[in-house]
Amino acid sequence: MTAAQPLPTLEITALEKRFGETQVLRSIDLKVQNGELVFVIGPSGSGKSTMLRCCNRLEEPTSGAIHVSGKPMLGIPRKELDRMRLQVGMVFQGFFLYPHLTALKNVTLAQRKALKRPRAEAEARALEMLDKVGLKHKADAMPSELSGGQQQRVAIARALALDPKVMLFDEPTSALDPELVGSVLKVMRDLREGGMTMIVVSHEMQFAREAADRVVFMDGGVIVEEGPPEEIFGNPKSDRLKAFLSRVSGEAA
Amino acid sequence: MDFLDAFLNPEIIARYLPALIRAVWVTLWISVLVVISGLALGALLAGLRAYQKRWLSWPIVLFADLMRALPPLVLMLVLFFGLPSVGIILADWFVLYLILTLVLAAFVEEIFWATMTSLPRGQWEAGAATGLSFLQVLLHVIFPQALRMNIPPLVNRSLTISKMTAYGSVIGVKEIVSVAGSAQAFSGSATPLTMAALAYLIIFYPAMLLSRYIENRFHYEH
Ligand SMILES: Nc1ncnc2c1ncn2[C@@H]1O[C@H](COP(=O)(O)OP(=O)(O)OP(=O)(O)O)[C@@H](O)[C@H]1O
Ligand SMILES: [Mg+2]
């Protein structure tokens, strides 16, 4: 590595993942620089979720390496892994708010227990994050009282409150009614403007065009093609990407 | 008149009331101890089982199955009359407490375990992804949900097991049934038994009302 090249915020090196006999990821290499938004597209079953889940080891990679700001995610004791996970925020398709806790408590729990922040500080930070996603007035609401879009924004606040270096989004809007998608995308756009480093798996191609620095196309567990959104959408090279794009634009039309 | 005399004779009531009140206390504190320790032990066992280490899970499952399969009374008799022959003598109340606690723990473990495995995997993952340790996820994410979702069966089990303190009469614990039973034998009147029934009502009816209240209070949409 030369001195001119900055340390990637997230670096995936030669990542392989097998489930038993099934090879799901093969030699994935991806570097995400500070402040970059990398958008990941690909057909169902191509390994997008698995790649994200390997980054914070919800899925155990078969081989390869993951580094966050130069620090290894793999081959470290569980205690160290818990600390590293604080730096990698994750947003799930299914939100997974804790249903027995208010929005505020959802956002303070890990701050208090994992980061060991004092209560007052954690609550102040939680309110700040809820405000950022436009839900400060819902701080005392239970998840069951919130719409899907609101739940997802609380889930984003929950991850953000831990001051992660990178945020992973796995189809954050796929479970939402169409009219609620916009509110979540807006939050993501704001985040990007605030300089957050993000990897986004999604089918919102319009969002990719506007907000992505780079688009990565995966198929069959490999990265087939990557480049700026104009290139990927406007001038796809591989046949597989062309086929995929015509398929999704066909669905959208 | 004859009826009242047989079942609610004032003189007999007066004679045996003090002994019965003492018996109510015995029933009460053994029940409370059993419920507290049974819930705690059951939750602990379910928590240990969640670690999915075979050498931990296997004995826990065996324990839960045995304790649920065997009649508590048999276990008590074995402990109370069997152990002295190998030189271990346990107090009657302790045998009652111990067996009921273990039986309750077995049921609680199964109730908790069923819920813990039925919660979406995303609940565990959301906790882990925010840097919580396995134990923290268990304590702050999984257990509170398992507890709230299971308040009705947990309360029912607790009430059922509390009523089983009556088995103590067989091994000489001075709880309600045993005291009322000997009073009936001495006096030849059914009145002490009526008093026993009333005593159980006085203890368990409020407990049932309380459980209704708790069920409503902690009900939440999932
Ligand atoms: N726990 C698992 N056990 C076995 N196979 C799995 C497991 N998780 C995922 N797979 C398989 O790995 C492959 C990739 O799955 P993955 O969820 O990463 O795809 P994806 O690109 O996210 O798809 P989608 O767009 O449908 O979300 C699929 O063939 C899937 O069946
Ligand atoms: Mg997926």
Side-chain angles (χ1 to χ4, degrees):
Chain A
M1 197 192 302
T2 63
Q5 206 176 23
L7 197 60
T9 301
L10 180 76
E11 182 169 19
I12 301 173
T13 320
L15 177 65
E16 305 263 341
K17 175 63 184 174
R18 268 194 304 273
F19 288 107
E21 292 297 292
T22 331
Q23 179 106 24
V24 172
L25 297 176
R26 43 194 104 212
S27 62
I28 299 276
D29 288 290
L30 187 65
K31 281 184 194 163
V32 184
Q33 298 297 341
N34 187 29
E36 209 182 3
L37 191 160
V38 173
F39 197 94
V40 182
I41 58 175
S44 181
S46 56
K48 307 181 295 294
S49 297
T50 306
M51 181 181 77
L52 283 196
R53 292 162 57 80
C54 281
C55 290
N56 63 359
R57 280 179 65 188
L58 287 182
E59 224 58 88
E60 209 53 49
T62 307
S63 66
I66 310 275
H67 288 85
V68 177
S69 295
K71 292 218 194 87
M73 273 307 269
L74 272 62
I76 52 175
R78 171 74 203 228
K79 262 217 155 76
E80 179 61 20
L81 174 61
D82 290 336
R83 268 197 295 277
M84 288 297 289
R85 278 173 166 166
L86 288 165
Q87 308 189 9
V88 183
M90 181 138 196
V91 175
F92 303 86
Q93 179 175 348
F95 330 137
F96 300 123
L97 291 185
Y98 312 129
H100 60 296
L101 299 177
T102 61
L104 185 77
K105 290 247 163 71
N106 263 276
V107 184
T108 53
L109 180 65
Q111 293 189 68
R112 303 262 293 123
K113 304 299 172 188
L115 271 182
K116 311 276 183 222
R117 276 188 188 145
R119 177 192 297 270
E121 192 186 330
E123 286 183 355
R125 182 86 178 129
L127 285 173
E128 188 188 329
M129 290 303 117
L130 285 173
D131 196 28
K132 198 171 190 159
V133 301
L135 290 171
K136 196 176 176 183
H137 61 293
K138 293 287 188 188
D140 294 323
M142 299 304 281
S144 60
E145 298 163 341
L146 300 174
S147 74
Q150 292 173 328
Q151 289 187 50
Q152 190 61 296
R153 280 143 68 198
V154 173
I156 294 173
R158 172 173 71 181
L160 285 178
L162 302 169
D163 304 320
K165 292 210 168 78
V166 57
M167 288 280 288
L168 312 175
F169 292 82
D170 192 2
E171 306 207 25
T173 58
S174 296
L176 297 177
D177 293 336
E179 73 272 19
L180 300 177
V181 168
S183 67
V184 173
L185 291 183
K186 178 184 178 301
V187 166
M188 292 168 66
R189 213 171 277 127
D190 291 348
L191 268 185
R192 174 191 158 51
E193 258 139 49
M196 175 58 73
T197 311
M198 301 157 79
I199 304 187
V200 180
V201 173
S202 166
H203 300 294
E204 298 292 333
M205 301 299 171
Q206 189 52 39
F207 179 78
R209 270 181 239 271
E210 294 161 18
D213 295 294
R214 197 145 48 100
V215 177
V216 167
F217 170 63
M218 285 179 73
D219 194 6
V222 296
I223 295 180
V224 177
E225 206 171 323
E226 63 179 301
E230 314 84 70
E231 282 293 309
I232 292 292
F233 294 118
N235 186 20
K237 303 217 165 40
S238 65
D239 292 339
R240 283 200 273 180
L241 176 54
K242 284 178 194 160
F244 173 74
L245 288 176
S246 69
R247 213 163 46 237
V248 293
S249 66
E251 276 165 25
Chain B
M1 201 49 209
D2 275 354
F3 181 84
L4 269 189
D5 203 47
F7 290 96
L8 280 170
N9 181 309
E11 192 212 327
I12 302 244
I13 292 180
R15 193 181 329 153
Y16 290 107
L17 193 58
L20 217 84
I21 288 175
R22 277 196 301 277
V24 165
W25 280 115
V26 172
T27 293
L28 256 183
W29 67 253
I30 293 184
S31 299
V32 168
L33 279 185
V34 164
V35 168
I36 292 173
S37 28
L39 288 175
L41 180 61
L44 177 69
L45 291 176
L48 289 175
R49 196 171 164 190
Y51 281 85
Q52 307 208 334
K53 300 269 185 266
R54 198 174 301 181
W55 55 271
L56 262 177
S57 310
W58 189 82
I60 292 171
V61 172
L62 184 69
F63 164 82
D65 287 350
L66 283 181
M67 286 297 149
R68 291 181 308 148
L70 292 168
L73 188 55
V74 172
L75 292 166
M76 268 175 229
L77 292 175
V78 167
L79 268 202
F80 191 69
F81 294 111
L83 281 188
S85 62
V86 291
I88 302 171
I89 297 174
L90 299 174
D92 48 24
W93 70 268
F94 186 75
V95 169
L96 179 64
Y97 161 77
L98 184 67
I99 295 299
L100 294 187
T101 295
L102 295 181
V103 171
L104 179 59
F107 280 100
V108 170
E109 188 277 327
E110 285 299 305
I111 291 171
F112 264 74
W113 181 250
T115 310
M116 286 161 64
T117 52
S118 71
L119 286 178
R121 196 155 63 115
Q123 288 290 324
W124 297 85
E125 293 184 345
T130 51
L132 296 175
S133 69
F134 187 79
L135 182 62
Q136 286 173 328
V137 174
L138 209 50
L139 289 181
H140 301 291
V141 178
I142 305 301
F143 269 178
Q145 294 186 60
L147 188 64
R148 272 154 218 247
M149 290 167 72
N150 285 308
I151 282 179
L154 290 173
V155 168
N156 280 335
R157 275 291 156 200
S158 298
L159 287 177
T160 306
I161 209 84
S162 298
K163 284 185 282 184
M164 288 186 190
T165 50
Y167 289 148
S169 59
V170 179
I171 54 175
V173 181
K174 295 270 170 277
E175 47 66 62
I176 296 172
V177 170
S178 118
V179 168
S182 45
Q184 187 270 333
F186 274 114
S187 65
S189 160
T191 299
L193 298 178
T194 316
M195 293 168 74
L198 290 174
Y200 276 113
L201 264 189
I202 290 169
I203 297 176
F204 288 110
Y205 199 69
M208 264 166 61
L209 291 183
L210 182 67
S211 75
R212 285 260 155 75
Y213 170 77
I214 297 175
E215 278 168 31
N216 292 335
R217 171 91 210 273
F218 284 103
H219 182 81
Y220 67 98
E221 310 280 324
H222 201 71

